[in-house]
Amino acid sequence: MDTGDRLLTPGEVAALFRVDPKTVTRWAAAGRIGSIRTPGGHRRFRESEVRALLEGEGVLDDLDGDANRPRNAGPPQNGSHGPTNAGLH
Amino acid sequence: MDTGDRLLTPGEVAALFRVDPKTVTRWAAAGRIGSIRTPGGHRRFRESEVRALLEGEGVLDDLDGDANRPRNAGPPQNGSHGPTNAGLH
DNA sequence: CGGCATTAGGGTAATTTGGGGA
DNA sequence: AGTGTCCAAATTACCCTAATGC
């Protein structure tokens, strides 16, 4: 498939970002990252979205000290794996 | 709308949710997801119901358009007549 | 008939959740 | 504003053996 709809657990995402799983949960609660809830209440994150977030901002790094850049200027619009909604006939 | 013609096996549903097949069985045992039992005792799940659970929340992704639009930060969790999604503890 | 992969069931450890406070 | 740590609880993951499905 195109985007690889693999789902990651909070622990996986936390390890990728080097933060605590709790922080990842906060991102999901704040709507900063898409999250899928299991019937049990646990969250799952898209591997493609996490990847876009990881690389969307790591390359453009200014060492000068300019702290005025938008935190979301990346092209993280991977939208494609959506169900297109047209699948229901 | 059709009531889901295709039936999925626990392994399929587990792969979709990135969980263990045993967990899917637990959902069915808890009544969180509809399940059809085979004469032998194995369970089968409706593809339409599983898809609705996966991410049927108003995440209607747009096929195309601007790639600079912030993500939909709306927290519209399962607002439908969800299958007893009262997983809040 | 035999065979293999998957599933069911019980039990225990690990992870995740939610809120509060630093 | 954002993150790390504390608590208690729930949910999930992995262990096993036997039965089912194809």
Side-chain angles (χ1 to χ4, degrees), chain A residues 48-73:
Chain A
S48 36
E49 188 162 346
V50 173
R51 231 180 200 187
L53 250 47
L54 276 170
E55 309 213 4
E57 239 180 290
V59 266
L60 295 177
D61 187 352
D62 47 325
L63 330 140
D64 286 8
D66 179 19
N68 192 12
R69 61 148 181 247
R71 57 177 52 119
N72 199 6

Side-chain angles (χ1 to χ4, degrees), chain A residues 37 40, chain B residues 85-89:
Chain A
R37 308 273 297 221
Chain B
N85 190 21
L88 300 171
H89 78 282

